[in-house]
């Protein structure tokens, strides 16, 4: 279906066919536009060339002010499962 088909239908007073052709053409245009926008958004998300600085990655000192290390349950920390810890006790300095 093309614009020429729609014009021919209008000229022939076949409004029902012209309406169907118009709806098909507009639907195709909308679908193409949405697909292009999806591609643009995906490129923005996944192909970003912006590099992170250390400030973006490392927490500020004030982020740790309210953390009490005695409240951290080391036995329940799933992130420590891969850490190899020696069984030798650490000597404390006086």
């Amino acid at each position: 279906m093309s614009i020429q088909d729609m014009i021919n239908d209008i000229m022939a007073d076949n409004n029902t066919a012209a309406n169907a052709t118009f709806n098909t053409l507009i639907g195709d245009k909308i679908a193409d536009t949405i697909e292009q926008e999806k591609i643009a958004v995906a490129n923005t998300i996944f192909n970003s060339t912006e590099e992170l600085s250390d400030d973006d990655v490392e927490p500020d000192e004030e982020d740790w002010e309210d953390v009490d290390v005695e409240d951290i349950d080391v036995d329940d920390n799933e992130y420590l499962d891969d850490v190899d810890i020696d069984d030798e006790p650490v000597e404390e300095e006086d």
Side-chain angles (χ1 to χ4, degrees):
M1 295 188 173
S2 68
I3 294 175
Q4 187 62 43
D5 293 334
M6 184 179 72
I7 292 171
N8 290 338
D9 289 336
I10 292 170
M11 298 295 283
D13 276 339
N14 191 354
N15 294 332
T16 305
N19 187 29
T21 303
F22 174 80
N23 288 337
T24 300
L25 292 172
I26 291 297
D28 291 345
K29 292 277 187 190
I30 291 172
D32 289 344
T33 303
I34 290 173
E35 187 62 30
Q36 291 300 318
E37 190 63 27
K38 285 180 185 178
I39 291 169
V41 169
N43 282 333
T44 301
I45 293 171
F46 295 111
N47 296 329
S48 176
T49 58
E50 179 183 330
E51 293 188 21
L52 295 176
S53 68
D54 289 339
D55 293 335
D56 295 331
V57 177
E58 295 179 8
D60 295 330
E61 285 182 23
E62 55 220 30
D63 293 339
W64 293 97
E65 287 177 355
D66 297 329
V67 176
D68 187 3
V69 289
E70 293 177 359
D71 291 338
I72 299 174
D73 187 5
V74 179
D75 295 329
D76 191 36
N77 195 335
E78 64 187 53
Y79 301 106
L80 293 177
D81 291 342
D82 296 332
V83 177
D84 185 24
I85 301 176
D86 295 334
D87 290 331
E88 298 177 18
V90 178
E91 294 182 14
E92 293 184 18
E93 295 180 16
D94 291 313

